Amino acid sequence: MSGISPHSPLRAWWSRRPPAAGAAVMATGIISVGLDLIGHETLSRIALVLGCAAWLGLAAEFAAVLLRERARWAADAGTPGALTAVAATTVLGTRLSALGRQTLAEALLALSALLWPVLTVLVARHWKRRMPGGVFLCCVATQGLAVLCATLAAAESAAWLAHTALVLFWLGLVLYGVALARFDLRQVLEGPGDQWIAGGALAISALAGSKLLAADSARLYLWNDDDHGVLRAVTVALLVLDLAWYAVLLVAECVRPRPRYDVRRWATVFPMGMTAVATLSVSATVDVLWLRTPGEVLLWISVAAWLAVAAGAVGSARAAVRSTAPR
């Protein structure tokens, strides 16, 4: 954004984007992860480039607001959408680790680990009863850290990262329960898109469980038989619950369609993509091979949803730029 005049209509539109816009990076990043899992490497890398470009733009704006507009930064940081900064960073780190870019993935882990406690505390201070789906981002951000820690633990044979991931995994489940108690169930029928995070948080939890199982090896010997059995059972249960949420939310969309574009629709694409990735990952980790086909189907559905929401985003940006352009 540095090459754009600070007074341009495009710059004005960009500066008004809400913190929840980070869900676009989350959605794009998880689509990249999923495409890699089913062997579409070129498409996966294209999605990764788009996700990284969006992340850099949002990170630059995040830093600029922190330095120049502290009051605005504090207000934005207290909203649930602020936690998309952590979740998006961990998703990109996970994909980069799969590409063998461990040093870069470690840097993203360090950054997200620094942001996570600060933003979680700020967001939790503003919790109230009957909240929208964004309340589940506390779980998503925590489990995102667990996924990246477990991924790097397997890549680098680092037991301490796996044990850290295990602590984050259980903490994430506790936070899911807290969020569920504050979630307004009416959002299932009325939400503008972020109600899907209720299922997406379970999906990323299942993915974290599968990554913890996959991190174990003869070299590390992380879990004994009892630990392994508990992790396996919890991971499968989380995936089943996630798929149940997916079905409920999909039926709700059909019963009460909400076709208009909203930036929170990126928070629909992310859970859809995460459910697909979790299904594929659990299928491979617990040797339930028949789950791979449903996982692939769900992934292509999420790709279609990404394209639809991206088209809506482009249309919304054009309309916003036209409305602020000099006449």
Side-chain angles (χ1 to χ4, degrees):
M1 304 299 295
S2 59
I4 298 173
S5 167
H7 304 294
S8 72
L10 182 60
R11 185 68 181 84
W13 165 78
W14 178 263
S15 66
R16 291 198 303 268
R17 58 99 195 103
V25 181
M26 295 162 59
T28 308
I30 203 60
I31 291 293
S32 176
V33 172
L35 289 168
D36 175 57
L37 288 177
I38 63 173
H40 290 273
E41 185 64 20
T42 300
L43 290 176
S44 174
R45 293 193 180 213
I46 291 172
L48 178 61
V49 169
L50 292 174
C52 288
W55 184 92
L56 288 171
L58 291 172
E61 184 71 14
F62 181 93
V65 172
L66 176 61
L67 292 173
R68 300 172 187 170
E69 303 176 61
R70 293 288 181 87
R72 177 187 163 194
W73 185 91
D76 287 348
T79 65
L83 286 168
T84 61
V86 177
T89 303
T90 60
V91 170
L92 292 180
T94 299
R95 178 66 185 99
L96 289 167
S97 178
L99 284 171
R101 306 283 185 173
Q102 307 307 340
T103 301
L104 188 51
E106 289 169 4
L108 292 178
L109 174 60
L111 176 59
S112 56
L114 286 173
L115 290 174
W116 172 70
V118 175
L119 294 177
T120 300
V121 169
L122 289 172
V123 169
R125 285 179 178 173
H126 294 85
W127 275 354
K128 54 188 178 181
R129 296 181 61 190
R130 295 187 177 181
M131 292 189 68
V135 70
F136 290 101
L137 284 167
C138 62
C139 171
V140 172
T142 305
Q143 297 291 16
L145 279 170
V147 169
L148 184 50
C149 281
T151 300
L152 286 170
E156 301 184 348
S157 297
W160 73 271
L161 277 173
H163 292 131
T164 301
L166 182 64
V167 172
L168 290 165
F169 172 72
W170 292 117
L171 176 59
L173 295 185
V174 171
L175 289 173
Y176 185 88
V178 174
L180 183 61
R182 295 176 180 273
F183 178 53
D184 184 358
L185 287 173
R186 293 174 298 182
Q187 292 291 305
V188 172
L189 285 173
E190 300 171 2
D194 58 355
Q195 71 276 10
W196 279 79
I197 308 176
L202 290 173
I204 196 170
S205 299
L207 179 61
S210 71
K211 292 291 186 181
L212 284 166
L213 290 168
D216 200 8
S217 65
R219 181 178 178 182
L220 288 180
Y221 188 65
L222 297 170
W223 329 119
N224 59 33
D225 290 343
D226 289 341
D227 294 335
H228 189 278
V230 170
L231 265 177
R232 188 181 191 279
V234 172
T235 298
V236 172
L238 287 168
L239 181 63
V240 171
L241 290 172
D242 169 43
L243 292 171
W245 259 118
Y246 192 108
V248 169
L249 291 162
L250 190 61
V251 169
E253 293 280 2
C254 295
V255 170
R256 188 171 294 182
R258 285 146 278 182
R260 293 185 62 182
Y261 171 76
D262 187 295
V263 70
R264 286 165 290 187
R265 271 302 176 191
W266 288 113
T268 298
V269 179
F270 172 73
M272 295 177 80
M274 183 55 75
T275 297
V277 169
T279 302
L280 291 167
S281 184
V282 171
S283 171
T285 304
V286 304
D287 294 324
V288 184
L289 300 182
W290 62 267
L291 276 174
R292 182 170 178 84
T293 299
E296 290 183 7
V297 171
L298 289 172
L299 181 63
W300 288 117
I301 291 173
S302 64
V303 169
W306 187 95
L307 291 171
V309 174
V314 170
S316 175
R318 285 178 176 174
V321 169
R322 282 196 220 102
S323 69
T324 57
R327 299 181 185 282

